[in-house]
Amino acid sequence: MLTDQHLWNAPRAERLLAGRVTVPGSKSQTNRALVLAALSDGPSVLEGVLASRDSYLMSAGLQLLGADIQPIGPGSVQVMPGLAHPTGPIECGMAGTVMRFLPVVAALVPGQTRFVGDEQASRRPIAPVLNGLRQLGVEVDSDRLPFSLNAPDRMCGPKVTIDSATSSQFISALLLASARFPQGIDLRHNGASVPSIPHIAMTCTMLADRGVTVVSDEPCHWVVRPGPIHALDDVIEPDLTNAAVFLAAALIVGGSVTVPGWPTDSTQPGAQFMGIAEKMGAMVSRVDGSMTIAAQGWQELRPLDVDLHEASELTPVVAAVASLARGRSRIRGVAHIRGHETDRLAALEHELAKLGVEVQQTDNGLDITGRGADKLHGGKFGCYADHRMAHAGALLGLVIDGVELDDITCTSKTMPQFPQMWANLVEEV
């Protein structure tokens, strides 16, 4: 955490919002597209690529593994595929996609590859992916960062069984590169229900767009045959989970916020925020490719009971909004977010309570009894090096005096310009 002189005073909204926010590209799509381009059968151009710490780490890791990734314009890169033995360790930071996707890519390169990350990254679960690689003949010396893997000259397979109950990324990681495995993959999940299923659908759709068929004729079972991953020039959608924090601002302040470039049909779980906003009292409209939320402010918010198992990244934003709605709200189905950048349930319980919110963890979520913004008070809001926690704190600061975030820089993970974008939204008339 930062010292007091680095505290970020969350801007207070003094008037109804009338904002229009252009949201950067999807982190999930960006990092999947980079992996697929690096493993494809020819060069490709990606447009709308997110510029953030997570995407930088993914690009840097893929380049260490043999790809050539060059910027050719704002938000645009050209990827020349390639595989080579890395000359140094691969830095994962706190990026779940990097620490889970790139070991599978590294398994295609015979020899040893070292993976390192931020101090907190050692607490993020990764064992199911590494166990899957072990079943393919890869040697791995640990189940946590840092670790080294030693890939054989030829992987075995194709049958792999893992427990992906704590993250859908374990499934996506093995599927993304599986067409390059000598025998493809016959992948099964054995465990409790998989969270964030739309992210697996995103992976399968992006593979299909590149000529790779994922057959899933029964639940929790995916089969990919070996073959090429065709090169594809692609355009990345705006990140709809990042968009949710800006749209939520209209819910609690009142007025309207518009996000242009909203996809007509998206596999991003963040798209589910529109239905949540409607249940809480917002008017939602999509006109000419732009999504708009209009609302009356926190005084008119309705509490809700919602299962966010498929869209758990929305939990901090929804929890912040629910804290301002008079009445009891329940967020369910998100026990797995205890293993995200931080234990998000414990962090939300602690930080919301510090501001006067009546909140407690359940076995799979949060119970929040909101009393309105006028019953809450300011204070330091801990971010735990977690960009989604910072989004929650920024939202509360719009309508509560004196909310100070201890680490706004953690938003660089997916939105480096977030502090300025947030200030612009509050100041825009």
Side-chain angles (χ1 to χ4, degrees):
M1 294 187 179
L2 300 184
T3 56
D4 283 358
Q5 64 262 33
H6 292 105
L7 290 173
W8 183 73
N9 296 314
R12 182 79 151 80
E14 303 296 345
R15 60 179 71 88
L16 297 180
L17 300 180
R20 184 177 180 86
V21 182
T22 300
V23 177
S26 162
K27 176 200 70 174
S28 297
Q29 286 191 357
T30 292
N31 281 357
R32 283 164 172 78
L34 287 168
V35 169
L36 291 170
L39 295 175
S40 68
D41 58 4
S44 54
V45 173
L46 305 177
E47 304 278 356
V49 170
L50 174 66
S52 72
R53 188 185 185 214
D54 275 22
S55 55
Y56 168 78
L57 290 169
M58 181 64 81
S59 293
L62 288 168
Q63 290 185 93
L64 274 174
L65 287 166
D68 182 30
I69 303 174
Q70 298 295 331
I72 56 175
S76 178
V77 298
Q78 183 175 56
V79 182
M80 299 294 293
L83 284 172
H85 192 268
T87 57
I90 291 176
E91 171 62 58
C92 300
M94 279 289 287
T97 51
V98 178
M99 67 181 71
R100 292 160 183 163
F101 293 1
L102 288 191
V104 186
V105 177
L108 297 169
V109 183
Q112 187 175 90
T113 303
R114 181 75 172 163
F115 287 83
V116 298
D118 292 359
E119 181 181 353
Q120 304 99 314
S122 64
R123 295 193 291 269
R124 300 204 69 181
I126 190 173
V129 171
L130 304 181
N131 288 336
L133 291 178
R134 290 185 182 105
Q135 294 171 54
L136 294 170
V138 180
E139 297 177 2
V140 188
D141 67 1
S142 176
D143 283 335
R144 296 276 182 178
L145 280 168
F147 65 87
S148 295
L149 65 78
N150 193 11
D153 291 335
R154 181 179 173 86
M155 286 191 291
C156 55
K159 292 185 180 296
V160 174
T161 300
I162 65 171
D163 183 349
S164 198
T166 53
S167 177
S168 66
Q169 286 182 0
F170 306 144
I171 298 293
S172 288
L174 290 161
L175 292 179
L176 281 169
S178 56
R180 297 291 303 270
F181 299 169
Q183 300 179 64
I185 199 168
D186 185 329
L187 176 62
R188 287 187 181 275
H189 159 70
N190 182 21
S193 60
V194 180
S196 303
I197 286 290
H199 277 122
I200 299 177
M202 177 189 295
T203 298
C204 294
T205 296
M206 294 180 73
L207 282 164
D209 290 344
R210 292 157 176 82
V212 178
T213 300
V214 182
V215 178
S216 184
D217 52 9
E218 59 179 307
C220 302
H221 184 211
W222 301 265
V223 176
V224 178
R225 305 298 180 197
I229 299 171
H230 296 314
L232 176 72
D233 294 342
D234 204 0
V235 179
I236 308 300
E237 296 176 358
D239 191 308
L240 304 189
T241 302
N242 279 342
V245 66
F246 296 100
L247 294 167
L251 260 177
I252 65 176
V253 175
S256 67
V257 173
T258 297
V259 175
W262 198 274
T264 303
D265 185 25
S266 178
T267 55
Q268 292 188 62
Q272 295 185 24
F273 184 72
M274 299 303 98
I276 293 168
E278 285 186 309
K279 289 179 181 177
M280 299 193 81
M283 294 180 59
V284 176
S285 60
R286 186 179 185 278
V287 179
D288 296 331
S290 293
M291 184 65 73
T292 298
I293 278 186
Q296 299 301 311
W298 64 265
Q299 297 89 341
E300 303 299 323
L301 282 174
R302 296 194 291 261
L304 85 165
D305 185 328
V306 63
D307 187 329
L308 290 179
H309 191 64
E310 291 191 350
S312 59
E313 290 279 325
L314 293 173
T315 301
V317 163
V318 175
V321 177
S323 297
L324 304 169
R326 294 188 179 101
R328 184 187 180 196
S329 293
R330 295 184 64 206
I331 297 174
R332 297 177 285 108
V334 295
H336 59 282
I337 70 172
R338 292 187 170 99
H340 280 202
E341 282 83 343
T342 188
D343 179 340
R344 283 182 176 162
L345 294 182
L348 285 166
E349 180 186 46
H350 187 254
E351 299 306 319
L352 293 176
K354 281 164 53 179
L355 304 186
V357 180
E358 186 178 332
V359 54
Q360 65 181 100
Q361 292 185 63
T362 65
D363 59 345
N364 70 349
L366 295 169
D367 272 358
I368 300 170
T369 302
R371 296 180 296 155
D374 55 349
K375 302 296 184 183
L376 303 180
H377 55 79
K380 289 184 185 178
F381 190 93
C383 296
Y384 302 80
D386 185 340
H387 57 146
R388 305 295 181 205
M389 287 295 296
H391 293 171
L395 278 168
L396 293 168
L398 290 173
V399 291
I400 303 171
D401 288 329
V403 175
E404 300 175 310
L405 276 62
D406 72 348
D407 184 14
I408 194 61
T409 63
C410 67
T411 56
S412 66
K413 178 178 171 66
T414 55
M415 229 178 340
Q417 293 79 34
F418 176 78
Q420 188 59 55
M421 294 170 68
W422 198 248
N424 291 345
L425 173 65
V426 174
E427 294 166 4
E428 190 170 356
V429 179

